[in-house]
Amino acid sequence: TNKDSSTESTTITDSTPSAPSTPEIKKKDKEVTRSTSRRSARVHKRDPIIAPGFGTQKDILQLSSDLGLPTEAVSAIMESRGRGIRGTKRRGGGDDVSATVPTTPVSTAWADFMQEEATTTAAATKTTATETTATVTDTADAKLEEKKKKKTSKVETGTQRTYAVPLERDWLTDGKPSKSKKPKTAKSGGGVLVQTGTLDCSSVGRSKRPMKQPYDIFSPTIIPLQEEHQQVKKVISSSTACHSLAITTSGKVLGWGRNEAHQLTQDVPLNVGTPTLLDIPTSSKIVDGAIGKSHTLLLDDEGQIWATGSNKSGQCGIKSSVERVSNFKKAVVLGKDVVIVQVSCGEQFSVALSQEGHLYSTGSSEFGQLGNGETGEYFVTASKLGFANCQLFTRRSVFCHAPGEKNYGGANDAKVVPLQGEDIALQSIACGKHHTVAIEASCRSSDSDEENPPPPRVFTWGCGDYGCLGHGKQADEYFPRLLGFLSSGHLWDANNATRSFAGTHCSMVLTERGHVYYWGKHKSAGEATMRPSLLEELANNGHVVTQVGGGGQTVVCSTANAVTVSWGQGPHGELGYGFEQKSSARPKFVSALDKCRIMDVSCGYGHTLFVIQNDDDDDKEALKGLDTLEDTTMEELQTLLESSAAEAASKAAAAAEGKASKGGRSKKR
């Protein structure tokens, strides 16, 4: 024992010898003392150390409580110091003395305890593994079940709606739906034909000559007509077309503009400067029509379609592969006793609507504009791609929607699935260059109250450039797809969509209250509107829009209070602002048309057409503020167009002759 002034050092001696004697066995096998301070000595005096590792009685009781073992077992565990059962032989390999000298009995409590813990741990591990396996299996089963549900739910089922058909048309004698299959006769009463934009169809998009001639009209001007054709009912043009039509109250058709593909028939010159009567091989009255870039469709009061012009993609729908139809020919509609009530044309495709609201289309399928779910691409040669176009009007009955489509902002990558269980009917169609906008017919659900019918839905399909389909992304749609933004009920409460309109790359919808929703792009500068947006300049100022037109770079709206607005680019005077201003970023009033009530409006490529009422004295007074095209100007224009046509014909003949002579030399070689 070494003593210090303040501390006592005690050596811990293990008295267990390799071969102890019998008297030594009777003694304690250990002597435990500890270096303590005065304070710790007083503490341990009350709770003495009784186990290795300075364990006290309090520690033994705590371990017994924690382990759930008797105090004797805990004491035995502590005494064994983890050695377990000791062997009887010496480490050195000497003789076995266990027969004469008994060994110190060593408790096996620690080994038993460890064995029990190992068994318990293994069992717990096995249980955990089993539970984990079961959980993983359940998760996999759940995922498989969910995948099966998704697979089986690719086709969404809907509730069939009851539609108000036969459809009402603008030219019917009354607002009641017709019970007969044939549309009723057209209403009487018409207006004055007015145009703004150049009459020189040969220069639009081809020549950059200064627009300073008398026939370059930069303000709305009355186009004089023959006395028997002065009352115009409807004007027709297209955002990609340089020719126009006017339908009179007597059911006659006047045409003017380009005629290179015989879109005005072969009976008129190559370029027609002023409205000229067209020969239609039917005794029925013409009540509606539509034009594409180089083809024309007319609709008579018997519900039949007449077509002429370019047919390279089958856009005339005559069930023939001829590239040009020189005179009006009856189109073919697939089906029995189909009565057509509305037609619309894109650049190289045509769409028709039957009296039952069924959709028909024909022509080019390059961008999915036919709504048949495909583009029909195939290889003509190793380096040439062709498209399987349609040659006759065929019904399209598959409509789609995206259940997860985002209504506001952001890109939309939702999966598109068919609307099954619904035979959808439409009431309005409008075509842009390569896309179509359609509005569902007025309807009510079979299981809802008649006082609260569901609002009509809007569908778009075709080329999605500049967001003209309204789905928030520039992607083509090959089936008519539900426009999610305009399907929200709160938007259409007592303000249902009624008519659709389209420009080259833009779309518009007119509602019952005269509000206009616009999306796409018609201006060369600025960002595209990717989703439908309300024209707040008109809606917030109490304007009730009645007529809308969309052109290549222009949009025109006329209101019920006899004002007209336009905006976009008008290099040929199609905006009607006058020679000093040719563009506007926001809707601007066309001051020349103030107090003029617009019956119809149509925008073409380089011009805009109006039909202005002249029923009463106020209308006649308003018309006095407009200029009238002079006869001398019309004669000068016709002379210019004839010379342009002759020059073009001579160039074409020279090119053909050169090609023929080149072919002859090749044969000689």
Side-chain angles (χ1 to χ4, degrees):
T1 304
N2 297 324
K3 293 184 178 181
D4 192 37
S5 59
S6 61
T7 309
E8 293 181 347
S9 297
T10 304
T11 304
I12 302 175
T13 306
D14 189 355
S15 61
T16 305
S18 60
S21 61
T22 303
E24 290 176 343
I25 294 172
K26 293 181 180 179
K27 293 182 181 180
K28 293 181 180 180
D29 59 334
K30 300 174 192 162
E31 292 181 359
V32 182
T33 58
R34 190 182 179 219
S35 147
T36 60
S37 63
R38 291 186 177 88
R39 183 175 181 277
S40 62
R42 288 195 300 271
V43 172
H44 289 294
K45 188 175 181 179
R46 293 192 300 270
D47 190 11
I49 297 173
I50 60 173
F54 312 114
T56 64
Q57 183 65 29
K58 187 176 180 181
D59 296 332
I60 297 297
L61 294 175
Q62 183 66 38
L63 285 173
S64 176
S65 175
D66 294 340
L67 298 175
L69 298 175
T71 56
E72 295 80 5
V74 175
S75 298
I77 292 171
M78 299 298 293
E79 290 293 337
S80 68
R81 295 188 180 183
R83 289 194 300 266
I85 300 176
R86 292 178 57 187
T88 56
K89 288 192 176 185
R90 297 183 180 182
R91 290 182 181 179
D95 297 334
D96 187 5
V97 294
S98 60
T100 57
V101 182
T103 58
T104 303
V106 178
S107 173
T108 62
W110 177 261
D112 296 340
F113 172 73
M114 293 301 295
Q115 185 177 3
E116 182 181 356
E117 284 293 316
T119 304
T120 305
T121 304
T125 304
K126 186 175 181 180
T127 304
T128 304
T130 304
E131 292 176 354
T132 304
T133 304
T135 303
V136 172
T137 304
D138 293 342
T139 305
D141 292 342
K143 288 183 177 180
L144 183 61
E145 188 68 22
E146 184 178 358
K147 189 175 181 180
K148 288 181 179 179
K149 288 181 179 179
K150 287 183 178 180
K151 189 174 181 180
T152 57
S153 65
K154 281 184 179 180
V155 177
E156 295 286 336
T157 58
T159 303
Q160 177 60 46
R161 300 185 176 189
T162 304
Y163 296 102
V165 292
L167 295 178
E168 301 177 7
R169 292 272 55 87
D170 295 340
W171 41 268
L172 296 180
T173 55
D174 52 38
K176 298 179 181 180
S178 174
K179 294 183 180 179
S180 64
K181 290 187 176 181
K182 293 184 179 180
K184 296 183 180 181
T185 57
K187 298 177 185 178
S188 59
V192 177
L193 176 62
V194 174
Q195 176 172 334
T196 181
T198 184
L199 287 168
D200 181 12
C201 58
S202 63
S203 64
V204 177
R206 298 177 178 177
S207 173
K208 294 184 178 180
R209 68 168 181 80
M211 293 289 168
K212 297 181 179 180
Q213 301 300 324
Y215 40 79
D216 297 327
I217 306 172
F218 281 84
S219 181
T221 303
I222 298 174
I223 306 298
L225 303 175
Q226 295 180 7
E227 185 176 355
E228 61 271 22
H229 306 311
Q230 287 183 355
Q231 292 297 306
V232 175
K233 183 68 178 179
K234 188 176 181 64
V235 286
I236 301 167
S237 192
S238 173
S239 60
T240 60
C242 291
H243 66 288
S244 305
L245 301 177
I247 301 176
T248 67
T249 55
S250 59
K252 301 299 181 179
V253 180
L254 306 175
W256 67 102
R258 285 183 188 168
N259 190 35
E260 297 168 350
H262 293 168
Q263 55 264 51
L264 298 176
T265 73
Q266 64 179 359
D267 298 331
V268 297
L270 191 63
N271 293 313
V272 183
T274 58
T276 303
L277 182 65
L278 303 182
D279 183 22
I280 315 297
T282 178
S283 58
S284 302
K285 292 183 178 181
I286 302 300
V287 293
D288 199 0
I291 60 177
K293 181 179 181 180
S294 300
H295 73 288
T296 301
L297 300 183
L298 295 178
L299 179 65
D300 63 21
D301 58 1
E302 298 291 330
Q304 296 177 339
I305 303 174
W306 300 85
T308 186
S310 175
N311 191 46
K312 290 182 178 180
S313 300
Q315 59 264 47
C316 287
I318 60 172
K319 201 178 179 180
S320 174
S321 58
V322 296
E323 293 190 355
R324 178 182 296 179
V325 182
S326 298
N327 289 297
F328 281 103
K329 187 176 181 179
K330 186 183 296 186
V332 179
V333 180
L334 189 61
K336 185 178 180 181
D337 298 331
V338 179
V339 178
I340 301 299
V341 295
Q342 188 179 354
V343 289
S344 184
C345 294
E347 185 176 61
Q348 292 181 340
F349 72 101
S350 305
V351 179
L353 200 61
S354 73
Q355 195 172 29
E356 299 300 322
H358 296 160
L359 175 68
Y360 295 83
S361 64
T362 185
S364 173
S365 60
E366 182 177 357
F367 301 98
Q369 58 266 52
L370 295 185
N372 60 352
E374 59 185 16
T375 61
E377 295 181 354
Y378 67 93
F379 283 101
V380 179
T381 62
S383 59
K384 184 178 180 181
L385 192 65
F387 298 91
N389 302 316
C390 186
Q391 304 293 338
L392 74 163
F393 285 92
T394 308
R395 186 184 172 189
R396 315 301 180 184
S397 58
V398 179
F399 291 76
C400 297
H401 76 136
E405 183 174 358
K406 299 177 182 178
N407 287 341
Y408 301 95
N412 178 20
D413 297 326
K415 191 172 184 179
V416 180
V417 296
L419 279 169
Q420 286 286 2
E422 294 190 56
D423 186 12
I424 294 176
L426 305 175
Q427 66 172 318
S428 179
I429 52 175
C431 296
K433 185 177 182 179
H434 299 302
H435 76 284
T436 305
V437 186
I439 299 176
E440 187 180 26
S442 300
C443 52
R444 63 180 181 85
S445 180
S446 58
D447 56 350
S448 66
D449 188 5
E450 295 185 8
E451 298 297 330
N452 298 306
R457 296 170 289 186
V458 180
F459 296 88
T460 59
W461 66 95
C463 180
D465 289 350
Y466 303 102
C468 62
L469 300 183
H471 299 298
K473 60 180 181 180
Q474 297 191 80
D476 299 348
E477 296 292 341
Y478 304 140
F479 284 110
R481 176 179 169 181
L482 177 66
L483 190 53
F485 181 86
L486 293 182
S487 299
S488 302
H490 65 278
L491 288 176
W492 301 128
D493 290 341
N495 192 25
N496 293 341
T498 57
R499 298 175 63 189
S500 58
F501 304 90
T504 300
H505 298 297
C506 64
S507 306
M508 292 148 285
V509 166
L510 180 63
T511 68
E512 290 179 348
R513 295 186 178 180
H515 296 166
V516 178
Y517 286 86
Y518 170 94
W519 62 96
K521 185 178 181 181
H522 70 279
K523 299 177 294 184
S524 59
E527 298 292 332
T529 304
M530 302 301 292
R531 292 184 181 273
S533 176
L534 178 66
L535 292 181
E536 298 180 353
E537 293 87 347
L538 299 176
N540 294 344
N541 290 285
H543 292 288
V544 179
V545 178
T546 57
Q547 299 294 335
V548 180
Q553 300 182 79
T554 58
V555 173
V556 179
C557 297
S558 297
T559 67
N561 54 348
V563 296
T564 300
V565 298
S566 63
W567 69 102
Q569 274 86 29
H572 302 95
E574 49 265 57
L575 292 177
Y577 299 150
F579 188 78
E580 300 298 328
Q581 185 174 356
K582 299 180 181 180
S583 65
S584 176
R586 306 302 302 173
K588 180 182 177 181
F589 290 108
V590 182
S591 58
L593 294 178
D594 286 348
K595 300 181 180 180
C596 292
R597 294 190 295 167
I598 307 299
M599 295 177 56
D600 193 23
V601 60
S602 183
C603 297
Y605 185 25
H607 63 281
T608 304
L609 304 175
F610 303 91
V611 178
I612 301 180
Q613 289 186 6
N614 62 344
D615 295 339
D616 53 28
D617 294 337
D618 292 336
D619 294 334
K620 292 179 173 58
E621 187 66 27
L623 287 170
K624 290 181 180 179
L626 300 180
D627 295 331
T628 302
L629 192 65
E630 298 179 358
D631 294 338
T632 55
T633 302
M634 298 174 67
E635 293 173 0
E636 182 181 351
L637 172 64
Q638 193 59 40
T639 302
L640 171 67
L641 294 178
E642 289 176 359
S643 62
S644 299
E647 183 179 354
S650 62
K651 287 183 179 180
E657 184 180 353
K659 187 175 181 180
S661 61
K662 184 177 180 181
R665 289 195 300 270
S666 299
K667 287 181 180 179
K668 282 185 178 181
R669 293 194 189 96

